Amino acid sequence: MSEQVETREFQAEARQLLQLMIHSIYSNKDSFLRELISNASDALDKLRLEAFRDKDLDVDTSDLHVEIAIDAEARTLTVRDNGIGMSRDEVVDLIGTLAKSGTAELRQKLAAQPGDAEQLIGQFGIGFYSTFMVADAVELLTRKAGETSGTRWESSGDGSYTIAEVDDAPQGTSVTLHLKPADADDELHDYTSQWKIRELVKKYSDFISWPIRMDVEKTVPAEEEGGEPTVTSETETINSRTALWAKPKSEVSDEEYAQFYKHVAHAWDEPLEVIAMRAEGTFEYQALLFIPSQAPFDLFNRDGRAGVQLYVKRVFIMGDCDELVPDYLRFVKGVVDAQDMSLNVSREILQQDRQIKVIRRSLTKKVLSTLKDLQANRADDYTTFWTQFGRVFKEGLISDGDNRDAVLRLSSFASTASETESTTLADYVTRMKDGQEQIFYATGESRQLLERSPHLEAFKAKGYEVLLLTDPVDEVWVESVPEFDGHALQSVAKGEVDLGTTEEDTADQGDFADLLTWLKETLDEHVKEVRLSTRLTSSPACLITDTFGITPQLARMYRASGQEVPVGKRILELNPDHPLVTGLRQALTDSEDKDGLSETAELLYGTALLAEGGSLDDPARFAALLADRLARTV
Ligand code: ADP
Ligand code: MG
């Protein structure tokens, strides 16, 4: 049968990433081998599982392994596995395309930081493509378990690849690299050297549970003097296959942990912290968890890929086992190996499983206590953790009632106390003013918007510190956290606030009674109450939500997620010292033109809304009123 060879273009983002790979001076080119072996190992795990689940699948699983073959003359290196393999469509999808969810982000980041290849490579963790760091051309031959024909894929990493159907492919996958010439200056080693390969396998992939085999050549000295030595070749397993999680922490080097992390997490960064756990007794299990040092581009994507893997008695069961850690700790990677669970366990069973619940509870506690340790003793590492994962971690304030206090203590927030440093609540409390009972916070879209918002004026003027909460999740958790160490959390834009106002600076409501009543009537459609404010120093007015009311920002978030929540009317607070307010009071007594005045009332309301970053219901009307007013003043 003649091969039908088809040439296809790489998807645009994949092409850009490849270019980065080929031209970037990524310092550690050796990592390509770890990536190939990691993929082979995953493929063997998948085949073993598939054969276990599907008894009709016609595959031989008696000798699952990885094989490395070197051809020094042809300058090729082949990594072969007899694992699950890929169908033609899978080859196109998995190898020719980047993960769909990542493309938009990648495009943005490429535009924003084109020079920062190293960081991008770290965030996107481009396994298979890393082969192009060391090869001019890559050839992949694969046949999926259960299928009769296979697929050959070839590319030199320049815009396109070819793909063809082949009938004689063995089951599994082999990847052959046509190596670039070795170049020591460029850290491009000679990967046709069996010693080099052995060294790299030892360094990067020693713990892989499947045997990694290689034909090793040995020179045997001649038996008689003056005779020629003979070269023999024998197949050896070159990895020790020890499960790192089964070893005590003292017997594993940082480097070994780091390489294992990169394999299980499909990551390129270094782990920030390694957590090794061992539980004996009723439910026996071992766990090896990692806190990464860099967030992946798809941190917010809940069906993101590698999380915590579940093993049962050293056998891989599933890749991303959501049940093992709560959602807000989804950045944690690693392995849990349970001793007393059935190999047959499915996701559905897991959701109900008592043992899994126990494990999840203790992993959560352990991760939290580890983070507490970072916070107390390794400030820089804690900061790294918080910058990378804080936004996700804060979801725990909403979802993990049992550990809310611990999560709250581990959290830190931007505040008016510093432009650059964030603060924990405990530190905030130490800076509270005499007589201050509450912890003040403001929520909104950006620090800049909040700092200029009228709500903050008096807090700033009187020297009260305010937390500036600008992540979307902040709008939500503040609703479920009532207090910290006996201090209520109080929004600067909600309810009444007591800023230690003295008799003298309290204006008499009575002096403004007519104005307040008239404004309430005039703006009835928009506000439920009009009162004098203690929050304002320079703005004429601001809008306040009831203590238990829903803020407009929160309502907007609900709406974005498809839920319609009623936004109640808010309270208009007036600054009794502002000339616009006193002037309006005067005009109300003097003027006959009540229509003109009610337009002023509308403008006052609209201005308050704009100042907090809100949006007007009828911007065209507001603009017309304003233009009309301005026309009279020029
Ligand atoms: P990742 O391993 O992080 O998913 P890679 O670029 O390393 O990213 O691989 C992309 C995908 O290609 C893998 O998820 C897998 O589905 C498929 N793949 C790669 N190598 C193999 C292999 N040896 N056997 C089967 N599938 C493979
Ligand atoms: Mg991979």
Side-chain angles (χ1 to χ4, degrees):
M1 196 178 102
S2 71
E3 285 188 9
Q4 281 287 335
V5 181
E6 190 188 333
T7 303
R8 289 178 166 232
E9 297 286 303
F10 279 106
Q11 170 224 32
E13 285 78 15
R15 194 161 60 227
Q16 278 171 301
L17 208 46
L18 270 171
Q19 286 306 308
L20 272 184
M21 269 296 167
I22 295 168
H23 300 294
S24 88
I25 31 159
Y26 193 80
S27 43
N28 194 353
K29 299 201 166 39
D30 294 347
S31 12
F32 82 93
L33 189 62
R34 171 192 72 215
E35 295 301 317
L36 287 180
I37 294 175
S38 183
N39 285 351
S41 165
D42 290 349
L44 294 165
D45 285 337
K46 285 182 197 157
L47 180 66
R48 198 208 57 81
L49 260 187
E50 198 51 39
F52 185 74
R53 290 204 187 115
D54 177 1
K55 302 287 178 221
D56 298 332
L57 187 67
D58 179 24
V59 285
D60 177 8
T61 55
S62 61
D63 183 31
L64 298 180
H65 66 278
V66 185
E67 213 175 291
I68 301 181
I70 293 170
D71 183 336
E73 241 155 75
R75 286 201 59 74
T76 62
L77 175 72
T78 300
V79 177
R80 188 178 297 129
D81 65 71
N82 53 352
I84 189 87
M86 283 175 271
S87 67
R88 181 193 164 97
D89 287 350
E90 283 169 337
V91 173
V92 173
D93 269 7
L94 299 169
I95 305 291
T97 326
L98 267 189
K100 285 271 180 304
S101 59
T103 54
E105 276 91 333
L106 180 64
R107 199 177 307 135
Q108 263 173 15
K109 294 198 170 172
L110 280 171
Q113 41 172 150
D116 216 348
E118 201 114 333
Q119 237 230 320
L120 281 173
I121 290 171
Q123 276 174 301
F124 285 82
I126 24 206
F128 178 78
Y129 291 160
S130 63
T131 50
F132 288 101
M133 295 191 298
V134 301
D136 292 321
V138 177
E139 200 181 318
L140 176 138
L141 183 64
T142 186
R143 179 163 64 82
K144 178 138 186 163
E147 294 187 359
T148 48
S149 75
T151 305
R152 171 178 288 115
W153 176 101
E154 284 176 90
S155 178
S156 5
D158 47 6
S160 66
Y161 59 86
T162 63
I163 192 160
E165 189 179 318
V166 288
D167 355 310
D168 56 351
Q171 183 226 298
T173 303
S174 77
V175 177
T176 299
L177 310 186
H178 296 266
L179 295 165
K180 294 181 182 175
D183 178 354
D185 290 344
D186 197 19
E187 302 231 21
L188 196 56
H189 298 116
D190 180 9
Y191 302 112
T192 61
S193 148
Q194 63 180 33
W195 293 280
K196 189 71 205 172
I197 296 299
R198 219 178 222 285
E199 176 198 321
L200 295 183
V201 169
K202 205 75 208 145
K203 182 167 165 202
Y204 292 121
S205 313
D206 196 49
F207 50 79
I208 292 289
S209 58
W210 305 102
I212 302 170
R213 294 185 193 141
M214 185 165 76
D215 283 344
V216 175
E217 289 186 351
K218 292 214 163 114
T219 310
V220 184
E223 276 175 18
E224 58 209 65
E225 222 161 302
E228 290 284 302
T230 47
V231 179
T232 62
S233 169
E234 74 190 48
T235 308
E236 288 184 11
T237 296
I238 55 178
N239 58 328
S240 71
R241 308 173 61 191
T242 44
L244 290 194
W245 60 85
K247 285 183 160 185
K249 214 173 166 179
S250 59
E251 287 174 24
V252 183
S253 71
D254 290 350
E255 172 71 10
E256 281 176 292
Y257 275 138
Q259 296 307 338
F260 182 68
Y261 160 72
K262 290 174 190 189
H263 166 62
V264 286
H266 294 224
W268 284 61
D269 60 329
E270 301 297 316
L272 190 65
E273 182 61 327
V274 180
I275 305 173
M277 284 171 76
R278 170 185 294 269
E280 265 135 30
T282 348
F283 295 144
E284 205 173 308
Y285 67 88
Q286 292 143 355
L288 182 55
L289 304 180
F290 300 92
I291 298 172
S293 58
Q294 190 178 40
F297 70 91
D298 59 352
L299 180 64
F300 281 91
N301 178 7
R302 271 148 216 272
D303 47 55
R305 316 179 294 161
V308 176
Q309 300 185 339
L310 177 66
Y311 278 66
V312 171
K313 295 184 265 291
R314 302 283 166 86
V315 175
F316 173 83
I317 302 293
M318 69 184 70
D320 187 17
C321 185
D322 308 340
E323 283 73 25
L324 285 171
V325 286
D327 237 14
Y328 72 100
L329 298 181
R330 61 186 176 276
F331 55 87
V332 172
K333 309 290 172 186
V335 166
V336 169
D337 189 353
Q339 300 309 305
D340 315 299
M341 212 176 272
S342 155
L343 288 174
N344 233 336
V345 69
S346 67
R347 273 187 203 269
E348 293 65 39
I349 296 176
L350 277 180
Q351 281 161 6
Q352 307 302 326
D353 192 273
R354 211 160 72 82
Q355 182 172 356
I356 290 287
K357 293 207 167 79
V358 172
I359 297 178
R360 175 186 168 112
R361 216 170 304 133
S362 38
L363 297 190
T364 305
K365 291 257 185 277
K366 183 71 182 181
V367 170
L368 294 178
S369 69
T370 305
L371 291 172
K372 189 172 164 193
D373 197 50
L374 285 192
Q375 189 183 33
N377 304 313
R378 287 158 52 191
D380 288 352
D381 287 344
Y382 166 77
T383 305
T384 303
F385 153 71
W386 189 259
T387 338
Q388 296 293 320
F389 304 110
R391 286 173 305 162
V392 161
F393 185 74
K394 279 188 284 189
E395 293 171 10
L397 293 170
I398 305 157
S399 59
D400 190 355
D402 292 348
N403 295 301
R404 179 167 299 148
D405 193 58
V407 175
L408 196 56
R409 278 172 203 282
L410 283 167
S411 297
S412 53
F413 310 98
S415 116
T416 51
S418 161
E419 291 283 330
T420 49
E421 309 270 309
S422 47
T423 179
T424 60
L425 294 186
D427 286 343
Y428 177 103
V429 169
T430 63
R431 289 187 297 265
M432 282 185 8
K433 283 172 62 117
D434 276 353
Q436 182 183 348
E437 297 288 333
Q438 297 161 314
I439 295 173
F440 297 116
Y441 69 86
T443 57
E445 264 164 46
S446 71
R447 181 176 181 123
Q448 196 192 26
L449 202 75
L450 288 177
E451 280 182 331
R452 297 185 182 171
S453 140
H455 295 129
L456 236 66
E457 284 173 11
F459 292 86
K460 273 198 282 198
K462 299 193 172 168
Y464 286 96
E465 180 175 349
V466 178
L467 301 175
L468 303 172
L469 310 178
T470 55
D471 288 326
V473 61
D474 293 330
E475 293 287 348
V476 188
W477 74 255
V478 291
E479 303 290 320
S480 47
V481 178
E483 54 109 44
F484 173 78
D485 274 356
H487 301 287
L489 268 67
Q490 168 68 47
S491 163
V492 298
K494 273 188 148 190
E496 309 256 6
V497 291
D498 173 14
L499 297 182
T501 326
T502 53
E503 285 287 320
E504 304 104 75
D505 47 42
T506 322
D508 190 351
Q509 299 270 346
D511 295 348
F512 288 84
D514 289 347
L515 176 67
L516 298 179
T517 314
W518 174 79
L519 271 175
K520 166 74 181 83
E521 280 164 17
T522 313
L523 297 171
D524 191 46
E525 174 193 350
H526 305 293
V527 301
K528 60 186 283 189
E529 187 187 336
V530 183
R531 67 187 182 207
L532 295 185
S533 184
T534 53
R535 291 171 228 250
L536 298 171
T537 57
S538 51
S539 300
C542 69
L543 288 158
I544 299 297
T545 305
D546 260 350
T547 308
F548 300 106
I550 289 173
T551 61
Q553 295 95 316
L554 187 60
R556 210 175 312 140
M557 281 182 51
Y558 277 123
R559 210 169 303 134
S561 68
Q563 281 167 278
E564 208 47 61
V565 292
V567 198
K569 291 187 207 170
R570 292 196 291 161
I571 300 159
L572 182 69
E573 284 196 357
L574 301 182
N575 178 355
D577 298 325
H578 197 281
L580 176 55
V581 174
T582 48
L584 194 58
R585 179 178 62 170
Q586 193 59 43
L588 191 65
T589 357
D590 302 349
S591 168
E592 298 291 302
D593 176 19
K594 293 281 189 290
D595 280 352
L597 282 185
S598 57
E599 286 177 1
T600 312
E602 256 186 83
L603 285 167
L604 183 68
Y605 168 77
T607 319
L609 199 54
L610 286 177
E612 64 172 27
S615 47
L616 301 160
D617 287 343
D618 190 350
R621 177 172 166 79
F622 183 85
L625 288 178
L626 188 62
D628 185 45
R629 239 0 113 82
L630 291 172
R632 278 187 250 160
T633 64
V634 290

